Amino acid sequence: MGFFERSDMPRPDAFPLLGVRHILLLLLLTGCITAGLLLIRRLKPSQAQHVLHGAAILVPLLELSHSVWLYLTGTTSLIKLLPLHLCGLQSLFIPLAVFTKFTCFRDFVYATSLLGGIFGTVMPAGVADYYPLLSFQTLQTFALHGLLIFVPLAMILCGQHRPSIQRFPRVLCIFLLAAFVVGMVDQMYGENYMFLYAPPAGTPLVWIFDTFGRGIYLGCTFVLLAGASLLIHLPFRASAPNADSDNPPVRLLSLYRLHRNHLWHRF
């Protein structure tokens, strides 16, 4: 299989979902993200800002490269090239979060980008079982989703953002507004952006959809996403409700202690 070749069917030379090659790739990506966070923590504020700016620019460029690849491999319909999945929307929200001072964008990126990056690498639907490790689709997918994990954590370590559970309702409002707009596109053009009409293949959500139907599937998906987003806010419950980018930087060890102090002893 060529590096830029497209595959719409499972292939024997592809890496299997959660197989040895997939797990090794996850470990490599985890190491790269950790190294990047440790590096950015050692940089001067101005240097760290440049790194964040570069990452924020790279996210839409990677998303654009995927659209170009889809077009060159046979997808010529403009509506099918739009970045309207939740991870694709980060190509808009991450630059807004990094280049503006609007806390709502940073809250949204922390609540959705981090989880989207983790889910997109652990359960890469349409990539695992379809593509080998050394292919454009695989590398682009893991590079993009790795940045979705890196950017919100880097903003916290650099002191540009501190999540607050008190602001979490705003995140839900932005998410529901985005889902409404994307749902209109799905309904008008028969698409499945944000998986509003059918679950991603190869995930446990398929069973819920097949067993209980679309309504229960959407309800369960929203509860799971909202619950997971809320959970990653719990370590910051000690933060001031109106904390913003003026807070001092948070160290990796501090994040670990917050997690232990506010999660470990609650269960």
Side-chain angles (χ1 to χ4, degrees), residues 51-66:
V51 173
L52 269 176
H53 286 175
I57 293 172
L58 189 55
V59 169
L61 288 179
L62 281 171
E63 185 63 36
L64 177 61
S65 72
H66 188 256

Side-chain angles (χ1 to χ4, degrees), residues 188-231:
M188 292 173 59
Y189 296 98
E191 298 299 324
N192 189 33
Y193 286 118
M194 288 183 69
F195 302 109
L196 295 176
Y197 279 83
T203 66
L205 296 173
V206 174
W207 178 84
I208 297 176
F209 180 85
D210 293 339
T211 304
F212 301 103
R214 178 169 172 256
I216 299 298
Y217 153 70
L218 287 177
C220 290
T221 301
F222 176 77
V223 170
L224 289 173
L225 287 175
S229 296
L230 186 63
L231 184 64

